[in-house]
Amino acid sequence: KKGATKRLGDPSLVQQLMINYSSKKFLVKFVLFATAFVLCGVALAGLVIPDGTQKVRRKGMDVMFALDVSKSMLAQDVKPNRLERAKQVISNIINSSPDDRIGIVVFAGRAYLQMPLTTDHAAARMYLASASPDDIPTQGTVISQALKMSGASFNPKDKTFKSIVLLSDGEDHDKDALKIVKQLTSEGVSINTIGIGSSGGAPIADPETGKYKTDENGNVIISKLNQPELKDIAEKGNGIYQHYTTTDQVASNIKERLAGMGSTVISDKSFDSYRQFFQYFLAVALVLLLLEFFLSDKKRMNRKITATGLSMFFLVASSSGQNVNSSIKKGNESYKKGEFDRAETFYIDAQKKDEKNTTASYNLGNAYYRKEKTEEAADAFSATIKNSNDNNIKQMAYYNKGVSYQKANKLPECILAYKNALILDPNDEDARQNLQRALKEQKQKEEKKDNKKEDKKDKKEQQDKKDEQKKEEPKPQPSKISRQDAEEKLKSLLEKEKALQEKLHKIKGSDGIDRPEKDW
C-alpha cells in the first residue's frame, strides 16, 4: 500500500485523500485474518487425545463360497442369467453375516482361490462383482476341485464352525465330487448347495460370438439344472439343498442354516477412541473472520449507518434464502406429481437466485433426466459436484451423472462418473454393478468395431486378389485330348472319389476315436 500511494502522485495530496484511513486498524484486520487462517490449518490437522479403549468381541464362523463361473452359468432360464443371480445370493448372505469370515473360490474346468478368508466384507463384494467366465482359462464344470480348494482354504487349527456354500447348475463333468464331500465331512466341514437354473434348461449364449453355443455336430447345447447331484452333495455333506426361487428367500434359508450351526469367537480386538478438538479451532476462526469482515480500516465510522447496513444485509440474505427454498419446495411438489416441466421451471428459478445451491442443481438434474434430456441432466449434476463440499451429495451426483451418460450411450464419460462415485463410497453396490455393465458394453463395442475393420480389410484383400487373377488369367487353349479319352478319365476320377468317401465314412463310424471334451 505504501508503494501504491507513492505512485499515485504528490504525497501530501494523497494523504489528504486518505485522511480517514487508519494503518493501525488495517494491521488489526490483517492479524485477525492471518490468525483465523492458522487456526483453520490447525483444525485441518485434526488434533486428538486418547479417550479410553473399546473392546470388541466378534462371534461368527468361516464360510467359503464356491461359485460356478462356467459358460453354462450364462444361460438365461433365470433372468438376467444364472451367474448374476448367484452373485446376488452371495452378496445378500454376506450383508447379513457381519461377524463371519468370508472366502470365495471360483471354478469352471479348474478351481481358483479368488479371495482367502477375511472379515473385510467390502473387499469380498468387490471380488464377487468382478467374477466372470473370463477368469478361468479352462472351461467345463469340475465340482470336485472347487470343493477341494474350498476345504484347503480353512485353517485346521482354528476351532471355528466351517461351512461351504456351493452355487452351481450342477452340470458336473467329473465324478469325484462325492469322494471329496466324504473327506470334508470327516474334517467337520458342512456343505450346502444352491441350484441355479431350471430342469427344462436353456441354450448358452457365447459372449465371444454373440450366438448360442453348439456341440461338435452343430447342434445347439441345452444346459439343464442337475438337481440330483446337488441334492446328493448337500445330503452327504450334512447341509441343505436350495433350488433358486428368489434371492431373499434362498439367502434367508442358507443363513438360517448357518446360524443353526453355532458360532465361536474368531477375533478379539481393542480399538482406541479419541476426543476431537477441530471444532473449537474452527469456531474461534469463524469469530475472528466475522470481526475482520465488519471491522473498517477507516478512522471514523458512523454507527447509525453501520447498524443500518448490517440490518439490511441480514434482511436481504434472509429474504433471498427464503425465496430460494420456496422455489425448491414448489419444484419438489411438482416433481412428485410428475409435472416435470413445472419442476424444471422452479428449480431454474431457484438457481437464478442462488447459483451455488446444490439442492436446486441436483433436483434440476433429476427433472432433466425424467424428461430424457440426458446432456442437460449431466451438466446439472456436474454443477452440484462443483459447488458441494459434502462427499455424500457428490457421490450421489456422480452416480446420477453416470446413469445419465449411460442412457445417452456415452460410455467413457459414464465409466468415469461411476468410478468417481465408487471412490467416494466403495460400498455402493449399484454403482459397482452399473460400472461392470458399462465396461462390458464398451468392450463389446470395441470388439465389434475391430471386427468390422478386419472384415473390410479381408474383403479388400479378396477383391484385390480377384482383380489380379483376372489380369493374369491366360486365354483358354483348344483341347488336344479326344472326347473318348476325357470320358474315361472322368469315370476313373469318380470311382476314386467314391472309394475315398467310403473310407472316410468307415473312419467316422469307428468307436475308437476320441470325443472332444465339454467346454461349458
Side-chain angles (χ1 to χ4, degrees), residues 395 399 403 406 418 421-422 425-437:
Q395 195 273 338
Y399 177 83
V403 172
Q406 195 164 18
Y418 285 140
L422 284 170
D425 182 8
N427 295 323
D428 189 340
E429 193 62 28
D430 291 333
R432 193 182 309 282
Q433 291 186 6
N434 285 0
L435 175 60
Q436 291 293 330
R437 292 192 191 96

Side-chain angles (χ1 to χ4, degrees), residues 331-384:
N332 293 342
E333 290 173 355
S334 300
Y335 186 91
K336 289 178 182 177
K337 294 176 182 178
E339 299 172 354
F340 302 120
D341 290 329
R342 283 175 57 81
E344 176 189 341
T345 303
F346 285 121
Y347 293 142
I348 291 174
D349 184 57
Q351 273 197 316
K352 288 179 181 178
K353 296 170 183 174
D354 184 1
E355 293 180 356
K356 295 186 177 181
N357 190 294
T358 55
T359 304
S361 58
Y362 184 85
N363 291 357
L364 178 61
N366 289 336
Y368 279 140
Y369 181 81
R370 289 287 188 173
K371 294 176 65 179
E372 298 188 356
K373 293 183 177 181
T374 52
E375 292 288 343
E376 291 85 346
D379 292 340
F381 293 129
S382 297
T384 304

Side-chain angles (χ1 to χ4, degrees), residues 54-58 119 267-271:
Q54 289 180 328
K55 290 187 177 180
V56 179
R57 296 179 65 84
R58 300 172 63 92
T119 55
S267 62
D268 187 2
K269 298 181 181 179
S270 295
F271 297 95

Side-chain angles (χ1 to χ4, degrees), residues 8 81 146 214 219 243 297 304 360 417 433 472 497 520:
L8 284 175
N81 59 50
T214 57
N219 300 319
H243 178 221
D297 56 2
K304 291 183 179 180
Q433 291 186 6
E472 297 174 0
E497 176 67 19
W520 66 89

Side-chain angles (χ1 to χ4, degrees), residues 93-347:
I93 296 173
I94 291 174
N95 291 338
S96 59
S97 310
D99 295 329
D100 294 343
R101 283 192 297 197
I102 303 297
I104 299 174
V105 167
V106 294
F107 70 95
R110 290 185 181 179
Y112 295 90
L113 180 63
Q114 183 86 335
M115 190 189 74
L117 287 167
T118 179
T119 55
D120 187 354
H121 291 185
R125 283 188 285 268
M126 182 181 70
Y127 279 110
L128 177 65
S130 63
S132 73
D134 297 334
D135 296 339
I136 311 295
T138 306
Q139 281 299 308
T141 307
V142 186
I143 291 177
S144 62
Q145 285 194 22
L147 295 174
K148 190 174 182 180
M149 178 68 71
S150 300
S153 302
F154 295 118
N155 187 349
K157 295 181 181 180
D158 288 344
K159 295 181 180 180
T160 57
F161 292 97
K162 303 175 179 69
S163 180
I164 297 172
V165 179
L166 173 70
L167 297 96
S168 174
D169 51 22
E171 194 168 1
D172 197 1
H173 294 167
D174 77 338
K175 303 301 177 185
D176 296 330
L178 294 178
K179 294 180 183 178
I180 304 299
V181 171
K182 186 177 180 181
Q183 178 185 341
L184 290 172
T185 51
S186 67
E187 297 172 0
V189 179
S190 71
I191 302 171
N192 300 284
T193 59
I194 300 174
I196 312 286
S198 62
S199 56
I204 305 168
D206 193 337
E208 296 178 0
T209 62
K211 300 178 181 178
Y212 289 128
K213 196 165 185 61
T214 57
D215 58 18
E216 64 274 13
N217 296 321
N219 300 319
V220 175
I221 297 166
I222 302 298
S223 173
K224 299 180 180 180
L225 173 63
N226 185 3
Q227 291 195 80
E229 180 172 0
L230 294 174
K231 286 180 179 179
D232 203 13
I233 291 172
E235 183 181 348
K236 289 182 170 58
N238 297 327
I240 61 170
Y241 167 75
Q242 286 285 292
H243 178 221
Y244 179 85
T245 51
T246 64
T247 300
D248 292 337
Q249 183 63 43
V250 173
S252 176
N253 292 341
I254 293 294
K255 185 56 189 171
E256 186 178 344
R257 175 70 177 184
L258 295 176
M261 293 175 59
S263 59
T264 56
V265 176
I266 59 176
S267 62
D268 187 2
K269 298 181 181 179
S270 295
F271 297 95
D272 287 327
S273 59
Y274 297 94
R275 185 181 175 189
Q276 303 280 350
F277 287 95
F278 72 92
Q279 62 271 23
Y280 303 113
F281 293 101
L282 285 179
V284 176
L286 177 61
V287 171
L288 294 179
L289 287 173
L290 287 172
L291 287 173
E292 190 275 338
F293 179 78
F294 291 116
L295 181 64
S296 173
D297 56 2
K298 294 181 179 181
K299 291 179 180 178
R300 297 176 182 177
M301 185 184 298
N302 190 318
R303 293 182 181 179
K304 291 183 179 180
I305 294 174
T306 304
T308 304
L310 289 174
S311 300
M312 290 298 294
F313 171 78
F314 286 117
L315 284 172
V316 171
S318 175
S319 174
S320 175
Q322 289 176 359
N323 289 337
V324 170
N325 292 333
S326 175
S327 297
I328 293 174
K329 185 178 179 181
K330 290 178 181 177
N332 293 342
E333 290 173 355
S334 300
Y335 186 91
K336 289 178 182 177
K337 294 176 182 178
E339 299 172 354
F340 302 120
D341 290 329
R342 283 175 57 81
E344 176 189 341
T345 303
F346 285 121
Y347 293 142

Side-chain angles (χ1 to χ4, degrees), residues 1-10 14 18:
K1 283 201 170 187
K2 289 179 180 178
T5 54
K6 289 179 181 179
R7 291 192 296 271
L8 284 175
D10 183 70
V14 172
M18 298 171 56

